[in-house]
Amino acid sequence: QKEVEQDPGPLSVPEGAIVSLNCTYSNSAFQYFMWYRQYSRKGPELLMYTYSSGNKEDGRFTAQVDKSSKYISLFIRDSQPSDSATYLCAMSARYSSASKIIFGSGTRLSIRP
Amino acid sequence: GAVVSQHPSWVICKSGTSVKIECRSLDFQATTMFWYRQFPKQSLMLMATSNEGSKATYEQGVEKDKFLINHASLTLSTLTVTSAHPEDSSFYICSARTGTNEKLFFGSGTQLSVL
């Protein structure tokens, strides 16, 4: 079983729809949770960063962490064609210089005009 | 957010030659840098972790003599693919961490094609 599971998609939704992206994990020690967006042939871009449980909102993006269920989500409101990309969840345990960040496999998202 | 610059963005080389890829943190000191490899439509595969001033730690299955990593300063890490072969063709991405939190910032990637 992978430490982090993420549906690879592809996920296709019409412009303006609300998008829900999710990851599950098995390591209860994870405390830091991140979402990255990656366009084709580009490096990932940090979208959201959350520590422990709860919600965080930034513009059209909302990140949710439910540690009791070991489940994290990223919601995109009023989706735009420019949101079409691969979205990677990432997480790590208590911080140290040697701690690894574990990535999900990524979900490919396509927003139809 | 912090900026990580990676060069070159693409490189084509002949089989048997060596290629160096640079990764620089432009506005912060990167105590730890990571190198990843990514195949089309696949996720990131961690190759190695480098801390400034010490030897890199390689993931299982990654040949350290093939992929030489140097992290000589707090703002620069290099990956050298030695004696490159066509099977080394891939997208290589570096990332850097500030040392104060878990946020990881990525370079723009390097597409390596070995003929």
Side-chain angles (χ1 to χ4, degrees):
Chain A
Q1 181 188 7
K2 292 182 181 178
E3 279 193 283
V4 178
E5 297 276 1
Q6 184 175 9
D7 188 334
L11 178 63
S12 179
V13 301
E15 183 175 357
I18 296 175
V19 176
S20 173
L21 303 168
N22 312 291
C23 287
T24 59
Y25 61 94
S26 57
N27 188 346
S28 58
F30 286 147
Q31 297 187 79
Y32 301 89
F33 304 92
M34 290 150 279
W35 285 95
Y36 287 85
R37 176 176 62 195
Q38 185 179 23
Y39 293 111
S40 182
R41 299 292 193 201
K42 297 292 184 184
E45 170 194 9
L46 179 63
L47 280 179
M48 302 290 283
Y49 173 81
T50 310
Y51 171 70
S52 194
S53 286
N55 295 357
K56 186 173 184 179
E57 186 174 325
D58 184 1
R60 295 185 295 111
F61 299 91
T62 300
Q64 287 186 352
V65 175
D66 182 347
K67 291 187 70 178
S68 62
S69 301
K70 297 190 182 68
Y71 187 88
I72 69 170
S73 301
L74 177 70
F75 297 96
I76 307 174
R77 292 184 300 281
D78 187 25
S79 56
Q80 305 293 312
S82 58
D83 295 327
S84 298
T86 295
Y87 289 79
L88 298 151
C89 64
M91 49 198 78
S92 69
R94 186 177 128 188
Y95 173 74
S96 73
S97 60
S99 65
K100 290 183 183 177
I101 294 178
I102 309 299
F103 285 87
S105 56
T107 299
R108 284 183 291 135
L109 173 65
S110 175
I111 308 298
R112 306 189 302 271
Chain B
V3 179
V4 176
S5 176
Q6 184 174 342
H7 291 281
S9 56
W10 59 271
V11 58
I12 301 173
C13 69
K14 292 182 179 180
S15 184
T17 60
S18 295
V19 174
K20 180 183 283 189
I21 302 170
E22 288 191 351
C23 182
R24 293 181 185 273
S25 56
L26 297 186
D27 52 2
F28 67 98
Q29 293 185 327
T31 55
T32 307
M33 287 187 170
F34 303 87
W35 287 94
Y36 297 84
R37 188 172 179 176
Q38 187 175 37
F39 293 102
K41 297 184 178 180
Q42 294 190 23
S43 190
L44 305 168
M45 183 185 80
L46 180 64
M47 299 175 65
T49 302
S50 74
N51 291 294
E52 185 264 338
S54 59
K55 290 184 179 180
T57 302
Y58 290 81
E59 295 300 301
Q60 190 174 7
V62 178
E63 300 175 59
K64 61 181 180 181
D65 295 330
K66 173 76 170 176
F67 300 99
L68 299 179
I69 292 172
N70 184 281
H71 192 164
S73 77
L74 284 170
T75 59
L76 174 64
S77 177
T78 60
L79 167 67
T80 301
V81 183
T82 61
S83 186
H85 288 92
E87 59 266 28
D88 299 323
S89 298
S90 186
F91 191 59
Y92 293 87
I93 312 174
C94 71
S95 68
R97 193 155 68 188
T98 64
T100 58
N101 59 47
E102 290 294 84
K103 291 183 182 180
L104 202 59
F105 299 96
F106 285 85
S108 54
T110 299
Q111 179 64 48
L112 170 64
S113 296
V114 185
L115 304 178

